[in-house]
Amino acid sequence: MRSTVEILIQRLDEGLPAPSYAHPGDAGADLYAAEDVELMPGERAVVPTGLAIALPDGYAAFVHPRSGLAAKLGVTLVNAPGTVDAGYRGEIKVTLLNTDLRDTVTLRRGDRIAQLVIQKVERALFSEVAELPGSARGTGGFGSTGGYAQPAHS
Ligand SMILES: O=c1ccn([C@H]2C[C@H](O)[C@@H](COP(=O)(O)OP(=O)(O)OP(=O)(O)O)O2)c(=O)[nH]1
Ligand SMILES: [Mg+2]
């Protein structure tokens, strides 16, 4: 059986469902908008979900966009994925962004606006050294392996 972890949840808004997985095997549990929101083209808004959680130490929750909202309406999250720390007891909020340049998007209270992914996270012990160990990649990054089209105006 797939392993599970118990997450304590508090519904700050009892009119909304508790988060749940739509299908067995889903990684993300949908989060609901606690209020109506209208996003003009390019506009963002911090939307409450009516949900607070207590994660066990060693876990974090990540607020991810929903691909349906992204593909159909151009709605994503400004800070995707948002990070919910294990010690956070406040309301989970979703930083929605309407990337569409023409259409205003209206979302209603109760709409599923994002999804929460629970993950184990390591806590690092940052050890400073004068030189880092070598690697095949070295310092190359930001497209160093090539294969990118040039913008027309460059
Ligand atoms: O999409 C998000 C991201 C964060 N949070 C909450 C939980 C998280 O534990 C807290 C702080 O988030 P983060 O560390 O990303 O924000 P910050 O700007 O660094 O704020 P702080 O100084 O409070 O850490 O805000 C959300 O509700 N939704
Ligand atoms: Mg922070």
Side-chain angles (χ1 to χ4, degrees), residues 79-154:
N79 62 333
T83 304
V84 179
D85 301 289
Y88 182 69
R89 298 289 179 271
E91 181 172 17
I92 295 177
K93 295 186 180 168
V94 175
T95 59
L96 291 181
L97 169 66
N98 178 9
T99 66
D100 197 276
L101 301 179
R102 289 175 308 254
D103 293 336
T104 296
V105 171
T106 303
L107 296 164
R108 297 285 178 208
R109 173 181 156 78
D111 283 351
R112 294 172 296 153
I113 52 169
Q115 54 185 328
L116 199 63
V117 177
I118 309 294
Q119 288 185 278
K120 281 185 185 163
V121 289
E122 296 290 342
R123 192 168 168 89
L125 175 66
F126 295 104
S127 300
E128 190 169 358
V129 292
E131 253 182 73
L132 296 172
S135 73
R137 173 175 282 273
T139 57
F142 302 94
S144 66
T145 56
Y148 295 92
Q150 295 299 313
H153 57 267
S154 71

Side-chain angles (χ1 to χ4, degrees), residues 13-67:
D13 181 333
E14 291 181 0
L16 295 174
S20 66
Y21 296 100
H23 305 103
D26 281 1
D30 289 330
L31 295 173
Y32 300 85
E35 53 190 45
D36 295 348
V37 57
E38 191 177 80
L39 298 166
M40 310 273 281
E43 197 184 2
R44 65 180 187 265
V46 179
V47 182
T49 62
L51 180 74
I53 64 176
L55 291 158
D57 199 29
Y59 284 81
F62 297 96
V63 183
H64 285 261
R66 295 188 67 214
S67 61

